[in-house]
Structures are given as structure tokens and as C-alpha cells.
Amino acid sequence: MNPLSNKIALVTDACAGIGKAIVQELVSKGLKVIGLGRDLNKLKMLAEELKGKPGKLYPLQCDLSIQNEIEGALEWIEKNLGSVEILINSAGINVDSSSINGGVDELKKTLDINVLGLTCITKGILQLMKNKGIDNGCIVNINDVCATKNLPLASDRPISPAYACSKNALTALTECLRLELAQNESNIKVINICPGLVESEITQQWLKENPRLALKPKDVADAILYSLQTPENVLIKDLIITPIREII
């Protein structure tokens, strides 16, 4: 029997890319999955596609840059499912801007979703876990390999300064949360997944103009599944996955 069967998971930005791929994998493994996204119609279409699979997708509209929508999603989860055991923070944007010519609005928009929204949904889920006495859950943050380097823009792919800042901030937040949970003697795992170039809606046009090897969203989803299925006493803290020959 799959160790993940019958568990409840929450995936942010479940409409496309890595989020959609992980939803498909988790539902196929028998999990109940709450999929958050800004496009409810896309989520409902995905739920229809996954009917007949062992698990189930609950589509829920939520823009992580809007605090009221985050609170509404958390209230729905508590009322209908109680809590979740697995949180996968896959939402993220990469707004094209530069340090010199880019505006503050681009930076703020990126940080609102990639850092602040992620932090708010994580804090809310941790509280729901605490309310239900869940102390063996998992929080998976989808980071970026650029956050592991001192020169994130020396890269063979499009990374804006705002995006690089947000992912470096996510690295710090992930490590701080992991340390705080450990100090509180919690068994909740905090996992940092760092992909390289991935085929997605964000990179689709760029890859047409700059053909090169890239990961499929399912490749990253498979890495996440691997990290979720380790024994209870084993934690994969950081997992880097890139296409071969990627330069960064």
C-alpha cells in the first residue's frame, strides 16, 4: 500500500506547470488534494480529467496575493476537511524587469506571491495542523536552483532580479521554519526543492526562441513524490534537480 494513500494535501498554483503535475501524481496515488489557483475553470476541468482516479481533487479559487482569499481558503479547508497533512507551495511568478530600469511594482508583485503569500498560507496550514494534532506532516517549498548560487543572474535562462530576490528569501524562510519546528520538537518535515529550467507557461516562449534541454513538470513532481515517501525518521532537506548541461 502506498504510504501517501488517503492523506490530504494542498497544492498552490494547481492550474498549470509543476503544480498541475504534482496534483495529477498525488490524485493518482489516492490522495485527497485541494488545488488552489486563480483560474477556477481550469481547476474544475482538471478535476473532471482526474475523475476515476483513486484520489480526488477539490478545486478552490485563491489568489495568493490577496489576503482575504487566503483566509477564505483556510476557512474552507477547516470546515470541510479539517486540515491537511501535506502542503506543497508551488505558486510563483517571474516578472520580467531589471534592477536599473524595473519598477517597484514588479518587485512588490513578485514578493507578494513568491514570499508573502507563501508565508501566509504556510502559517495558516501549520495552525490547522496544530489544531488537529498533526505532528508528522510535510511542507514542500518549490524553490529554484538560482537560490543556491551567489550570482543568480549568471544563468543560461531567464531570471529577473525580483525573482532571484524572492527565491533567496524563500531559502532563508525555509531554513528558519525548519529550525523553529525542530526547536519545538515537531516532526513536521520542511523540504526545499530546487529545480533548474522547467518547461512551463512562464518559459514556453523563451524556450521557442532559445531551444535547449529543460525539465518537464512531471520530472519535478517525481522528485517531490520521492521526498515525500522517505521513512518518518528521514528528512530530505534540499533537493536540486536540473536538466543535464544546465549552466548556472
Side-chain angles (χ1 to χ4, degrees):
M1 180 178 177
N2 190 295
L4 299 177
S5 294
N6 299 317
K7 291 198 173 189
I8 302 174
L10 170 63
V11 181
T12 65
D13 193 16
C15 298
I18 295 171
K20 181 178 179 180
I22 191 61
V23 165
Q24 291 169 325
E25 292 296 316
L26 292 179
V27 172
S28 296
K29 294 287 189 297
L31 282 78
K32 295 177 181 178
V33 181
I34 305 137
L36 300 189
R38 286 177 287 181
D39 192 328
L40 186 58
N41 288 329
K42 283 186 178 180
L43 288 173
K44 288 181 176 178
M45 288 174 60
L46 181 57
E48 283 294 320
E49 292 174 15
L50 295 172
K51 278 188 174 178
K53 300 292 184 181
K56 182 177 180 179
L57 172 60
Y58 298 85
L60 206 58
Q61 184 170 343
C62 180
D63 184 335
L64 289 181
S65 66
I66 302 175
Q67 182 65 30
N68 288 342
E69 293 197 11
I70 295 174
E71 292 173 358
L74 292 168
E75 289 173 5
W76 186 94
I77 293 168
E78 184 174 25
K79 180 180 178 181
N80 293 276
L81 296 171
S83 183
V84 303
E85 294 148 288
I86 299 168
L87 168 62
I88 300 177
N89 285 312
S90 64
I93 61 171
N94 183 14
V95 178
D96 187 17
S97 65
S98 75
S99 297
I100 298 173
N101 301 317
V104 174
D105 288 344
E106 286 84 359
L107 176 60
K108 184 178 185 302
K109 182 178 180 181
T110 304
L111 294 177
D112 278 348
I113 293 176
N114 295 11
V115 180
L116 299 179
L118 179 148
T119 300
C120 289
I121 196 72
T122 300
K123 285 172 64 70
I125 290 302
L126 282 170
Q127 186 60 53
L128 293 183
M129 287 181 176
K130 182 178 180 181
N131 294 346
K132 288 292 182 180
I134 296 171
D135 193 46
N136 61 344
C138 290
I139 295 171
V140 181
N141 290 334
I142 310 301
N143 205 325
D144 192 290
V145 70
C146 76
T148 67
K149 302 294 181 180
N150 293 324
L151 296 173
L153 300 185
S155 171
D156 201 27
R157 59 190 173 92
I159 297 174
S160 72
Y163 178 83
C165 286
S166 72
K167 292 303 183 180
N168 278 275
L170 179 55
T171 296
L173 286 169
T174 301
E175 292 179 355
C176 288
L177 176 59
R178 188 185 291 140
L179 175 60
E180 189 173 341
L181 288 169
Q183 289 173 336
N184 291 330
E185 298 185 350
S186 170
N187 294 319
I188 294 173
K189 298 180 180 182
V190 183
I191 301 167
N192 188 43
I193 304 290
C194 296
L197 178 62
V198 181
E199 290 182 13
S200 67
E201 292 181 354
I202 295 175
T203 60
Q204 185 177 26
Q205 183 58 39
W206 187 86
L207 280 169
K208 285 183 180 180
E209 299 168 0
N210 304 270
R212 65 201 60 208
L213 294 172
L215 298 171
K216 305 289 186 184
K218 188 180 182 302
D219 296 326
V220 184
D222 288 342
I224 295 167
L225 278 173
Y226 171 75
S227 69
L228 289 174
Q229 295 181 86
T230 57
E232 288 190 1
N233 65 315
V234 176
L235 169 63
I236 294 177
K237 289 186 174 182
D238 303 282
L239 184 59
I240 296 173
I241 171 174
T242 71
I244 58 173
R245 302 203 303 269
E246 179 170 280
I247 301 171
I248 187 169

